[in-house]
Amino acid sequence: MRWDQLTENGGTAVTTGDVGTGQNAALFGADTVTTRTFDTPEFRGITFHEVRARSIVNRVPGASRMPFEWTVNPYRGCSHACVYCFARKTHSYLDLDTGLGFDSQIIVKVNAPELLRGKLASRQWQGAHIAMGTNVDCYQRAEGRYRLMPGIISALTEYANPFSILTKGTLILRDLELLQQAARVTDVGVCVSVGFVDEDLWRTVEPGTPSPLRRLDAVRTLTDSGIGCGVLMAPVIPFLGDHPDQLRATVRAVAAAGATSVTPLVLHLRPGAREWFMSWLGQHHPQLVRRYERLYAEGAYAPKWYQRRITRQVHELATEYGIGPTQRTVPRRAGRTPYPHGPSAPEPTQLTLI
């Protein structure tokens, strides 16, 4: 695997000896890697690569559609094993497999809390919003063992630095008290991803995640505890999760959970995710392969007419069930659409877990 040469954007590091230099410095070196496996039911079949990262606060590329500028990702790879996850491509930067390898070879940045604390203490840091869970889920199963998020949240609280978390993991409830403490001193946004409540669909496309209803229970607990929680209805999966009855059932359940907002985002298929998803589709729903090839013929995104139709349907249902319009949970980045996207957003964008 390419440990030494990996940079923040997946390019080649410029190094002097063993230490990266400048903006292209390697994220971590091979001499910092410890590989572990645990013979317990929840971790069986998963390999953890513990690394001491050289940086943890990542700047989002200027061309990105994301509305935030800075992210923290304590993990690479994700045991949620969502077949559509667009972060799969990032595993190829380490010469790791983007299919099963992404699900079972997890990179753990064990020094993430101390790195973040150092960044926040820097005179150059201006207290910008930090988004978490936008690449892979920071509350995936690995977090139950490595417990990186308590230190991360504590550091952000100490410096009153605004942040947001997007997750499919109910493990976030473990840190509820820390989130409450943070919310007393800074802006905290929490969003849980629930694209559908169809349990048969969930078992096949998100096999490593808590069930949709358990996630909505987490939404209810967060909201009842004073942490306003929105739902990212993502992804809406064409021909499998987009029937009007399915959309209604999901929005009804989201409303019943007390979510502050609901934002629909249609499945998109970037390189890396596209190949894995289409392979899964061919095995489980071969009759849909040609329909997907036509729907996504122009690239990673479904046509705008389709996205707008789904957005309109969900917003109408949200109004019917009393959720109201989608609210911003992250400060606007200059020139960017707020996150989650508002009702007039022309082209919704799926985030990862989510």
Side-chain angles (χ1 to χ4, degrees), residues 30-222:
D31 59 340
T32 71
V33 179
T34 301
T35 297
R36 301 184 192 277
T37 59
F38 305 105
D39 190 22
T40 56
E42 68 270 30
F43 297 131
R44 191 160 293 138
I46 299 178
T47 299
F48 297 98
H49 304 283
E50 300 173 1
V51 304
R52 292 193 61 79
R54 291 171 177 161
S55 66
I56 196 63
V57 180
N58 305 313
R59 190 165 202 157
V60 177
S64 171
R65 299 181 180 196
M66 300 303 180
F68 39 79
E69 193 168 3
W70 301 95
T71 64
V72 164
N73 296 295
Y75 301 98
R76 281 178 178 257
C78 186
S79 59
H80 283 343
C82 301
V83 297
Y84 51 76
C85 183
F86 75 69
R88 289 182 177 278
K89 181 67 175 177
T90 62
H91 248 39
S92 67
Y93 305 154
L94 285 171
D95 290 339
L96 288 170
D97 174 58
T98 58
L100 290 176
F102 179 83
D103 305 337
S104 61
Q105 301 282 329
I106 311 300
I107 314 303
V108 184
K109 303 172 188 176
V110 294
N111 60 334
E114 63 188 83
L115 277 176
L116 176 60
R117 191 174 296 276
K119 181 71 173 181
L120 297 177
S122 168
R123 291 184 178 180
Q124 286 73 41
W125 182 249
Q126 299 298 309
H129 181 97
I130 289 177
M132 293 175 282
T134 60
N135 189 40
V136 301
D137 204 317
C138 51
Y139 282 105
Q140 60 176 287
R141 271 180 283 167
E143 174 60 17
R145 179 175 184 88
Y146 287 97
R147 300 182 62 87
L148 300 179
M149 288 301 293
I152 288 171
I153 295 172
S154 295
L156 291 163
T157 302
E158 180 180 336
Y159 288 91
N161 202 101
F163 66 92
S164 61
I165 297 171
L166 172 63
T167 184
K168 280 190 177 78
T170 55
L171 186 59
I172 190 173
L173 296 180
R174 180 200 65 193
D175 296 338
L176 178 55
E177 185 174 341
L178 291 176
L179 292 171
Q180 291 172 319
Q181 292 172 6
R184 295 187 190 110
V185 299
T186 190
D187 292 331
V188 176
V190 176
C191 202
V192 172
S193 178
V194 183
F196 42 81
V197 292
D198 183 325
E199 293 220 347
D200 290 335
L201 183 58
W202 157 64
R203 289 189 179 95
T204 57
V205 300
E206 300 171 347
T209 66
S211 75
L213 294 183
R214 284 186 59 204
R215 283 177 250 161
L216 290 175
D217 284 342
V219 171
R220 186 177 297 104
T221 300
L222 287 161

Side-chain angles (χ1 to χ4, degrees), residues 4-5 7 11-16 19-26:
D4 282 308
Q5 298 305 307
T7 65
T12 301
V14 176
T15 61
T16 302
V19 180
T21 60
Q23 290 186 341
N24 291 326

Side-chain angles (χ1 to χ4, degrees), residues 205-247:
V205 300
E206 300 171 347
T209 66
S211 75
L213 294 183
R214 284 186 59 204
R215 283 177 250 161
L216 290 175
D217 284 342
V219 171
R220 186 177 297 104
T221 300
L222 287 161
T223 301
D224 289 347
S225 301
I227 304 295
C229 184
V231 167
L232 193 66
M233 193 169 158
V236 175
I237 304 179
F239 318 128
L240 292 172
D242 64 348
H243 189 278
D245 290 345
Q246 291 174 302
L247 299 179

